[in-house]
Amino acid sequence: MTDNERIKKISSELSQLKSQIAEVAKQKEFWFRKKEDLKKEINDMIKKIKEIKVENDKSNIEVHDFKKNRDKYNAEVHDLIGKIKKVNEEKEKELKKSKIAVDPSRIQAQIHALEKQVETETNFNKEKKLMEQIKRLKKSYAEFSSVMKINDEAKKISNEIKESRKKANEFHKQIQSVTKDTNYQGFMEMSKKITEVKKVQEDAFNKFIEFKNKYLELNKAFKVKLEEAKPFQEQIEKEHENVKQQYAEKQSKILKQKTEQVEDKIKKKKKLTTEDILAFQGCKD
């Protein structure tokens, strides 16, 4: 291989390496920027998910307290139901023991109904009969005082059950309200998105490392090639200058031809294209 051939070969290889280095540097920068942009996106999402978590933690404390109260009143209802069952069993025993055919609570209801009837009755004889009936019922009712005492206790427990059940339901509604408003779904979706973006960022980082290593390898090869070119540096530079000059002359020639075409169009009053105007301006410059 002659020196000229070797110079041309080295020049061509240096030119190719420069192009490759420029392209790899571009790719390296692209994947670095992408990695950094994804990192910022992940940090923003982590910040957001922390805010959601703080809100969720507050809501969880409320839910915990509400559940505690709800469970307390549900337990009370359960205990009171067991208690009223025993009271009703005791009431049944007393009724059988006293051989009472009618439940005293029914007698009491009859008394109340008759008393209301008396209030509106205008006939004296009918009113008298109603009063006698009330008197008899009250006498019967008085005989059942032990049963009535049990009955009153049952009513009291029944009211307590209603009140405890009402409070348990109120706390349950509060639990539903808080869990509905709390952004649990948003938290889960954000967590999933962070995982997905982290995977994309990892891929971008790997790409960046790949092109960085390639960039270093090409630079190393370029330095080796420069060392190889040192004995012919002057000739190579001259070759590069010749190439540049030839390119400039070629461009000048093309521009001149285009300018002549434009001038010809102007003389013939033909319509100029944007390309014609740019070529003409380039020639003037």
Side-chain angles (χ1 to χ4, degrees), residues 14 35-37 42 44 48 56 62 68 88 110 124 145 152 170 172 188 193 201 204 207-208 225 243 255 257 278 280:
L14 283 169
K35 171 186 77 74
E36 290 300 303
D37 290 343
I42 289 167
D44 290 343
K48 181 66 180 174
N56 284 356
E62 287 184 347
K68 189 177 177 182
N88 284 330
Q110 281 182 301
F124 177 75
S145 58
D152 290 341
E170 285 172 359
H172 184 69
M188 294 306 295
K193 181 108 182 264
Q201 189 209 22
K207 281 283 185 186
F208 164 69
K225 191 56 64 178
V243 170
L255 192 58
Q257 286 175 350
L278 291 172
F280 192 70

Side-chain angles (χ1 to χ4, degrees), residues 119 187 283:
E119 289 174 5
F187 182 85
C283 181

Side-chain angles (χ1 to χ4, degrees), residues 97-128:
K97 186 170 142 184
S98 304
K99 296 182 180 179
I100 300 170
V102 182
D103 190 331
S105 60
R106 289 186 181 180
I107 296 174
Q108 192 179 39
Q110 281 182 301
I111 292 169
H112 289 319
L114 291 171
E115 284 175 341
K116 282 185 179 181
Q117 197 175 335
V118 168
E119 289 174 5
T120 56
E121 185 58 60
T122 55
N123 187 292
F124 177 75
N125 290 328
K126 284 184 178 180
E127 184 182 342
K128 188 178 178 182

Side-chain angles (χ1 to χ4, degrees), residues 84 87-88 149-159:
I84 202 171
V87 170
N88 284 330
K149 188 178 179 182
I150 296 170
N151 199 53
D152 290 341
E153 188 181 353
K155 280 184 180 179
K156 183 185 174 185
I157 295 170
S158 180
N159 289 332

Side-chain angles (χ1 to χ4, degrees), residues 226-243:
L226 280 177
E227 286 294 322
E228 188 181 339
K230 268 186 180 180
F232 311 102
Q233 190 171 351
E234 191 177 328
Q235 294 94 318
I236 289 170
E237 286 176 0
K238 190 176 179 181
E239 180 72 23
H240 281 171
E241 285 299 321
N242 288 337
V243 170

Side-chain angles (χ1 to χ4, degrees), residues 21-153:
I21 288 168
E23 181 58 33
V24 170
K26 188 179 175 182
Q27 289 292 326
K28 176 173 71 74
E29 182 61 24
F30 170 80
W31 288 110
F32 177 78
R33 270 282 38 98
K34 188 172 181 67
K35 171 186 77 74
E36 290 300 303
D37 290 343
L38 290 168
K39 183 180 177 181
K40 184 179 180 302
E41 186 180 344
I42 289 167
N43 287 338
D44 290 343
M45 286 193 290
I46 288 172
K47 185 180 176 183
K48 181 66 180 174
I49 205 170
K50 281 181 178 177
E51 290 172 2
I52 294 173
K53 189 177 184 298
V54 168
E55 291 301 315
N56 284 356
D57 287 344
K58 288 178 183 176
S59 297
N60 285 339
I61 292 168
E62 287 184 347
V63 170
H64 175 76
D65 291 341
F66 292 150
K67 281 184 177 178
K68 189 177 177 182
N69 283 301
R70 181 197 62 184
D71 294 344
K72 181 184 82 171
Y73 286 111
N74 277 332
E76 281 184 12
V77 169
H78 182 267
D79 292 342
L80 288 167
I81 287 172
K83 194 173 179 182
I84 202 171
K85 279 182 180 178
K86 289 181 180 178
V87 170
N88 284 330
E89 286 172 3
E90 190 180 341
K91 180 181 171 181
E92 288 297 321
K93 286 179 183 177
E94 282 294 322
L95 286 170
K96 287 178 182 178
K97 186 170 142 184
S98 304
K99 296 182 180 179
I100 300 170
V102 182
D103 190 331
S105 60
R106 289 186 181 180
I107 296 174
Q108 192 179 39
Q110 281 182 301
I111 292 169
H112 289 319
L114 291 171
E115 284 175 341
K116 282 185 179 181
Q117 197 175 335
V118 168
E119 289 174 5
T120 56
E121 185 58 60
T122 55
N123 187 292
F124 177 75
N125 290 328
K126 284 184 178 180
E127 184 182 342
K128 188 178 178 182
K129 285 180 181 179
L130 287 170
M131 292 300 293
E132 288 173 356
Q133 194 175 350
I134 290 169
K135 190 177 178 180
R136 285 196 302 272
L137 287 169
K138 281 186 175 180
K139 187 180 178 182
S140 298
Y141 182 77
E143 292 173 359
F144 309 140
S145 58
S146 61
V147 175
M148 287 312 299
K149 188 178 179 182
I150 296 170
N151 199 53
D152 290 341
E153 188 181 353

